[in-house]
Amino acid sequence: MSKPRALRLGVNIDHVATVRNARGGQVPDPVRAAQLAIEAGADGITAHLREDRRHIMDDDILRLKETISKPLNLEMAATTQMLDIALKVRPHAACLVPEKRTERTTEGGLDVVAAHNHLKPFVSELSRAGIRVSLFVEPSIAALDVARSVGAPVIELHTGAWCHALDTGDAERAGREHGRLRVAAAHAAEIGLECHAGHGLNYQTAEKIAELPSIVELNIGHFLIGEAIFTGLSEAIRLMRRSMDAGRARAVQ
Ligand code: PXP
């Protein structure tokens, strides 16, 4: 039995910007939150520049790129405007996500099967610029196979349906969704894709998902920023790391 791989924590700071934008002005500053998150043990910072700029703004992305000491993962829709920004900013990584103006958060993964031809040039251009591209997908074998065929080196599994089933006490659905995540994570490793996961995770679900050995990064935002109100961001990140480490210690390769 080999030692399970390290599990990175990417902290999504979008909702610090949500609070700032509720009043306008400069505070609370998501860049300050990113710096604090890194000091507290985050391995990277994730930010979603949405088309409607409802939370993160263009200037936040520029300041994050200039100031943070860990990798920046830019979540973005596959549009030419976002591609131009990514090529200018050159984040370490870009995660392509579906985006609907009416949604409160990223509701599902990319429909990569239908969008194959649309996504391919985005993956190529970003990769050519040295940006590590991931596709945010539902945990399905077909989606992973298409992600590989468009040349993405990384996929991020959408954990939202599983987390939602647990939150609403739907144990049967939760079991089914967890099974899909387990199978998809194993398939990603088999076909040579780096596997990340995220959406809706909390201390309990992060611990559980950390048991899947092929997942090497979790991206977590809303829960951590919410907990920060009560415990402070550093403590929330410390507890999240502890949960992730406890789950990873049970991972079987
Ligand atoms: N990963 C991706 C691709 C996302 O779009 C989001 C939400 O912005 C997250 C992870 C984080 O989700 P949450 O804020 O629910 O932790």
Side-chain angles (χ1 to χ4, degrees):
M1 212 164 62
S2 54
K3 202 166 165 276
R5 284 185 286 176
L7 180 59
R8 297 190 297 267
L9 170 61
V11 173
N12 180 316
I13 40 84
D14 291 352
H15 295 307
V16 178
T18 303
V19 176
R20 175 194 61 192
N21 298 356
R23 278 288 169 98
Q26 312 297 320
V27 295
D29 182 7
V31 178
R32 183 176 168 202
Q35 284 160 342
L36 192 63
I38 290 167
E39 280 165 29
D43 300 294
I45 296 298
T46 294
H48 186 175
L49 185 65
R50 294 186 77 102
E51 192 192 5
D52 62 10
R53 309 301 198 267
R54 69 175 70 160
H55 38 56
I56 293 294
M57 312 278 211
D58 299 57
D59 179 58
D60 296 326
I61 294 292
L62 290 172
R63 289 187 305 124
L64 283 167
K65 177 66 199 314
E66 272 166 24
T67 57
I68 64 172
S69 58
K70 291 275 165 104
L72 173 63
N73 174 32
L74 173 65
E75 288 178 5
M76 54 179 269
T79 63
T80 49
Q81 187 205 36
M82 285 300 151
L83 179 64
D84 288 348
I85 292 170
L87 294 178
K88 198 167 84 193
V89 175
R90 305 223 170 199
H92 167 80
C95 180
L96 296 179
V97 300
E99 212 175 279
K100 287 192 232 129
R101 273 184 177 264
T102 50
E103 69 191 355
R104 276 201 224 147
T105 179
T106 316
E107 281 169 357
L110 287 164
D111 186 354
V112 282
V113 178
H116 176 281
N117 292 345
H118 174 73
L119 290 171
K120 206 171 159 85
F122 286 92
V123 175
S124 306
E125 282 231 40
L126 290 164
S127 301
R128 247 199 315 273
I131 300 167
R132 196 154 169 82
V133 184
S134 72
L135 302 184
F136 191 42
V137 294
E138 295 296 323
S140 92
I141 301 287
L144 267 55
D145 289 344
V146 174
R148 185 164 184 273
S149 79
V150 298
V154 184
I155 49 99
E156 179 164 328
L157 298 176
H158 197 309
T159 52
W162 173 54
C163 293
H164 182 69
L166 287 171
D167 287 346
T168 55
D170 187 344
E172 197 197 319
R173 171 113 201 255
R176 216 168 43 238
E177 293 296 340
H178 186 265
R180 292 178 74 211
L181 288 163
R182 187 165 28 78
V183 169
H187 186 68
E190 274 160 27
I191 62 173
L193 291 171
E194 182 175 315
C195 187
H196 301 176
H199 209 279
L201 294 170
N202 59 25
Y203 296 137
Q204 288 77 31
T205 45
E207 179 168 341
K208 182 83 185 144
I209 207 80
E211 293 174 2
L212 302 180
S214 55
I215 296 179
V216 295
E217 180 173 308
L218 300 182
N219 284 301
I220 309 179
H222 184 263
F223 175 80
L224 283 174
I225 304 306
E227 278 299 289
I229 295 168
F230 304 107
T231 66
L233 185 58
S234 305
E235 178 67 358
I237 289 171
R238 195 183 66 75
L239 293 174
M240 184 57 78
R241 262 266 57 110
R242 198 163 74 179
S243 296
M244 289 164 57
D245 291 346
R248 181 71 7 150
R250 291 197 297 273
V252 178
Q253 283 284 46

